[in-house]
Amino acid sequence: MKEKSVDKATVKMLQVAKQERLETIWDRWEAQQPQCGFGQLGLCCRICNMGPCRIDPFGKGPQRGVCGADADTFTARHLARMVAAGTAAHSDHGRDVAHTLLLAAEGKGGYRIKDPVKLRKVAAEFGIGTDSKSDAEIAKALAHKVLAEFGQQEGELTFAHRAPKARQELWRRLGIMPRGIDREVVETMHRTTMGVDTDYYNIILQAMRTALADGWGGSMISTELQDILFGTPTPIRSRVNLGVLKRDEVNVVVHGHEPLLSEMLVAASRDPELQQLARQKGAKGITIAGICCTANEILMRHGIPIAGNFLQQELALATGAVDAMIVDVQCIMPALVSLSQCFHTKLIATSPKAKFPNVEFVEFKEEHAIDSAKEILRIAIENFPKREPRRTQIPDESMDLIAGFTTESVFRFLGGRYRATFRPLNDAIIDGRLRGAVGVVGCNNPNTPHDWGHLTLTQELLKNDVLVVTSGCSAIADAKCGLLRPEAAYKYAGPGLREICEAVGIPPVLHVGACVDNSRILTTLAEIVSEGGLGEDFAKLPVAGSAPEWMSEKAVAIGFYFVASGALVHFNTPFPVLGSPKMYKLLTEDLEKIVGGKFLFEPDPIKAARAILAHLDRKRAELKLREPMYTPVYA
Ligand code: SF4
Ligand code: MSK
């Protein structure tokens, strides 16, 4: 089982699954081997009904589709559509949050403004006067302005103005400054339909504009408005892994992405009446635990424990200890339906956007949020007595962690309580104690041993004095391994990074939240640039990003907005573009001359880490910074 995962709880549960003959994602992945070579190379097209068409990678068979499209067009169109889908997912999330802000302003649904300071700051960015206005008035005006940016036809997204001036100018020059969020997604879908945009370079420019509408639009809107509604996180302790499930309590696992429901479930779980009902049913209490990004959201704001990351969703059910799994949208495996039927577990769908055949559906309406949350919890509690103790196998593994770092809290930590500034971070990079900073983010994928890519790459960076920030399922992988504890600095960090972690009491890996919170990394980079001393644009900074176990189209959108913002971004397995040498070269070489960022595809996490370190050193040399203070371990 070790080749499937490096996480002990996962290995144990895979053994349980085998004994109980439960099918998991790894079984289905194996059953799919060998996967379609045309698909992997990006050489199939099924955009219109003259197809599906495919191109022979060996040059013997057809080199064009029926319409005449070649490998460059095939791969560019497909990739751009992945970006559009990922952007749509993050941005639709943002739209729901903006709608909820409007409800909060109107006093509906039980939502309140928890961060009025951020409300005023963001409102000012959107040109809303805040003097002598109530929070509700400001929130209403802000919600309307934000919602308008989804359908905006011309102009520029407000948050894009957070980027350094030089970067904004570059985006304008290249014609990739995002105009409206939905507009960019729609235009990408249009341009990639049959008989429209054929020029692979032009398609990729539009893919970048679409991705920028995600990072500096939909995702940033999600993050900022969630902070306003639910509170900007501050560092908080909690625990992670399947061992957080309890034998003697009602276990409710929330899975998906949007915190609108899970926030209310957390509130409802504290309701004395429901607590009493749980006791009546023989449970000692109610445990809420999360999977995937919804887990990160409620962890950051409430310290709610995390049960696991993407590849552990089935294994949580296989414990037999989950009384209800509540799902909303994104990263929810359809396989949960049949697996939940092998146990007493109630799988409950809540979003009209994501229904599952034969699965109980309790519509979550933001207008009646707290009532919906109570109804769902009641179902879970009523289900507790049906749990079969004989089939309940909860692994012992769990680990403590600190999560909840944001652009604002990094600011406070590094600058000291009374001196909120990025100066110490910039100085640490300038004087070489820190070699640079890298965001390691993203999913799991059964094509890579679970968590191995994240942990190997992250540990290699840490020992070379690189500060790592993390989000999504990568953050959960790090947490399970103990990397989100301050004491991890002693074991894993190089001398320069260790010195900083000791001085400020932070872990060497900073958890910044869910996938949409990668936007926090963008705003942090903007703060670093404006603090000064490291150049006037992102592309100058010794920073990079990595998604070492990616699977989702959302990861492609994230990768593209970081590259379009000027960063080197590593993915383990390449995008489906290998069938077009021109596209591969564009993504891995030429883009750097155009936007300052580019992609690096490398399946080996150690080799990837070393390539990233070489990149950081190159950036340091270009800035004429002194050599890193400590001898590189990798040299
Ligand atoms: Fe084939 Fe062209 Fe239609 Fe694609 S768009 S399926 S290549 S005919
Ligand atoms: S949940 S998108 S598997 S990180 Fe955001 Fe994890 Fe990737 Fe889903």
Side-chain angles (χ1 to χ4, degrees):
M1 299 295 174
K2 275 226 167 88
E3 69 282 6
K4 293 186 176 153
S5 176
V6 296
D7 171 52
K8 276 195 193 146
T10 299
V11 171
K12 278 188 192 169
M13 286 314 300
L14 281 171
Q15 270 151 1
V16 170
K18 197 172 173 196
Q19 280 155 15
E20 301 265 323
R21 296 176 178 231
L22 301 170
E23 182 191 272
T24 68
I25 188 168
W26 284 273
D27 302 317
R28 294 187 296 276
W29 185 79
E30 269 164 30
Q32 285 290 337
Q33 301 310 310
Q35 284 170 307
C36 172
F38 292 100
Q40 282 173 329
L41 298 173
L43 291 181
C44 64
C45 178
R46 50 176 184 77
I47 278 175
C48 87
N49 196 35
M50 292 186 284
C53 300
R54 55 191 192 187
I55 287 174
D56 181 359
F58 304 108
K60 294 194 178 123
Q63 292 302 296
R64 286 169 181 269
V66 174
C67 66
D70 62 13
D72 307 330
T73 307
F74 271 37
T75 49
R77 281 198 304 214
H78 183 219
L79 191 61
R81 284 187 166 213
M82 292 179 91
V83 171
T87 300
H90 287 144
S91 302
D92 213 29
H93 172 164
R95 188 194 329 265
D96 284 349
V97 182
H99 175 66
T100 307
L101 182 67
L102 191 57
L103 290 179
E106 291 166 350
K108 295 179 191 158
Y111 296 101
R112 301 275 172 274
I113 307 292
K114 293 246 181 79
D115 189 343
V117 175
K118 187 169 253 196
L119 170 69
R120 280 159 201 272
K121 180 179 164 281
V122 174
E125 285 181 77
F126 275 79
I128 298 164
T130 54
D131 290 348
S132 73
K133 282 200 187 130
S134 69
D135 285 356
E137 286 168 321
I138 298 169
K140 191 167 185 177
L142 179 60
H144 282 301
K145 286 240 181 192
V146 166
L147 285 167
E149 289 213 341
F150 286 87
Q152 187 168 286
Q153 300 304 311
E154 294 301 336
E156 298 178 348
L157 294 182
T158 303
F159 281 144
H161 299 152
R162 289 179 167 186
K165 289 269 172 302
R167 180 64 27 185
Q168 293 180 42
E169 281 309 318
L170 177 67
W171 290 339
R172 288 185 195 111
R173 261 200 320 279
L174 292 170
I176 60 170
M177 176 64 101
R179 298 157 291 187
I181 298 165
D182 295 351
R183 163 148 202 191
E184 304 309 350
V185 173
V186 168
E187 190 170 314
T188 296
M189 293 308 287
H190 172 206
R191 282 165 63 161
T192 54
T193 199
M194 191 268 148
V196 188
D197 204 348
T198 306
D199 178 348
Y200 72 99
Y201 172 67
N202 205 37
I203 294 170
I204 293 304
L205 278 184
Q206 173 59 17
M208 286 197 285
R209 177 153 58 175
T210 308
L212 289 171
D214 177 352
W216 298 91
S219 281
M220 204 169 277
I221 286 169
S222 305
T223 296
E224 296 293 57
L225 268 48
Q226 283 170 185
D227 283 358
I228 291 169
L229 276 169
F230 308 129
T232 301
T234 52
I236 190 164
R237 284 189 179 274
S238 188
R239 293 194 76 76
V240 62
N241 218 339
L242 292 167
V244 303
L245 299 174
K246 305 242 172 71
R247 272 194 166 271
D248 50 5
E249 297 199 6
V250 177
N251 290 312
V252 180
V253 171
V254 289
H255 174 20
H257 276 75
E258 298 184 351
L260 306 175
L261 167 63
S262 49
E263 278 280 330
M264 281 300 168
L265 283 169
V266 172
S269 70
R270 292 169 185 152
D271 181 278
E273 232 176 80
L274 288 173
Q275 293 276 353
Q276 174 62 19
L277 182 64
R279 282 193 291 276
Q280 266 172 23
K281 297 288 169 190
K284 286 201 173 140
I286 304 167
T287 286
I288 307 255
I291 297 262
C292 280
C293 279
T294 248
N296 285 313
E297 299 277 10
I298 50 176
L299 162 73
M300 297 235 293
R301 297 195 177 87
H302 303 284
I304 298 293
I306 293 189
N309 51 8
F310 177 70
L311 282 185
Q312 290 178 287
Q313 55 187 284
E314 289 174 295
L315 304 179
L317 294 191
T319 63
V322 177
D323 302 299
M325 182 179 268
I326 323 295
V327 300
D328 55 15
V329 290
Q330 301 175 22
C331 301
I332 300 148
M333 289 186 210
L336 294 179
V337 178
S338 50
L339 186 61
S340 66
Q341 286 158 359
C342 299
F343 295 91
H344 78 299
T345 308
K346 289 259 185 203
L347 184 64
I348 302 174
T350 58
S351 168
K353 294 174 199 167
K355 291 191 179 181
F356 303 80
N358 305 319
V359 164
E360 185 157 358
F361 178 66
V362 179
E363 182 164 0
F364 173 69
K365 289 205 176 110
E366 286 88 345
E367 291 83 347
H368 312 289
I370 193 72
D371 298 332
S372 306
K374 284 185 182 170
E375 183 187 343
I376 290 166
L377 277 190
R378 208 163 279 124
I379 295 172
I381 296 168
E382 300 283 356
N383 201 31
F384 174 77
K386 298 196 190 123
R387 197 191 289 175
E388 292 177 71
R390 198 180 45 82
R391 293 188 71 204
T392 305
Q393 307 193 55
I394 305 174
D396 291 333
E397 280 74 17
S398 74
M399 175 62 77
D400 55 325
L401 65 97
I402 296 184
F405 291 90
T406 59
T407 311
E408 294 81 0
S409 66
V410 166
F411 205 78
R412 219 167 20 240
F413 261 78
L414 294 169
R417 188 177 286 263
Y418 302 107
R419 203 166 61 93
T421 165
F422 272 83
R423 198 68 250 155
L425 177 61
N426 285 30
D427 285 346
I429 294 173
I430 291 166
D431 69 23
R433 267 175 304 153
L434 278 186
R435 178 177 250 111
V438 175
V440 186
V441 306
C443 326
N444 306 127
N445 186 324
N447 71 8
T448 305
H450 170 231
D451 292 350
W452 169 77
H454 294 295
L455 299 179
T456 312
L457 182 111
T458 299
Q459 288 169 13
E460 187 67 14
L461 294 174
L462 294 180
K463 73 179 180 205
N464 282 287
D465 288 326
V466 174
L467 179 69
V468 173
V469 293
T470 184
S471 68
C473 290
S474 185
I476 301 173
D478 292 346
K480 287 184 286 174
C481 172
L483 297 178
L484 302 192
R485 300 178 306 160
E487 51 270 41
Y490 298 105
K491 187 164 172 194
Y492 298 102
L497 175 60
R498 188 159 63 229
E499 213 176 277
I500 291 165
C501 293
E502 273 172 18
V504 268
I506 53 171
V509 180
L510 302 179
H511 174 293
V512 297
C515 296
V516 292
D517 294 324
N518 286 318
S519 64
R520 295 191 199 275
I521 302 177
L522 294 176
T523 45
T524 301
L525 293 177
E527 294 286 355
I528 291 172
V529 169
S530 72
E531 184 64 44
L534 288 168
E536 72 290 350
D537 179 36
F538 297 138
K540 307 271 184 202
L541 300 173
V543 298
S546 171
E549 300 180 24
W550 76 282
M551 71 81 197
S552 171
E553 289 163 316
K554 294 178 285 172
V556 183
I558 294 167
F560 263 90
Y561 71 65
F562 274 105
V563 164
S565 298
L568 171 77
V569 178
H570 160 251
F571 278 65
N572 60 334
T573 48
F575 296 151
V577 299
L578 290 182
S580 162
K582 283 191 200 156
M583 267 289 286
Y584 191 80
K585 183 166 173 294
L586 173 65
L587 297 175
T588 58
E589 293 175 33
D590 303 345
L591 276 185
E592 192 169 29
K593 292 176 216 114
I594 301 161
V595 288
K598 65 176 177 180
F599 290 98
L600 161 71
F601 300 115
E602 173 53 64
D604 179 333
I606 294 284
K607 284 190 191 156
R610 290 175 185 178
I612 290 170
L613 290 165
H615 172 81
L616 302 183
D617 288 349
R618 203 162 46 245
K619 290 290 164 189
R620 296 185 63 84
E622 283 166 16
L623 282 168
K624 301 200 172 21
L625 301 181
R626 65 170 63 153
E627 294 269 304
M629 200 175 273
Y630 300 98
T631 318
V633 177
Y634 74 91

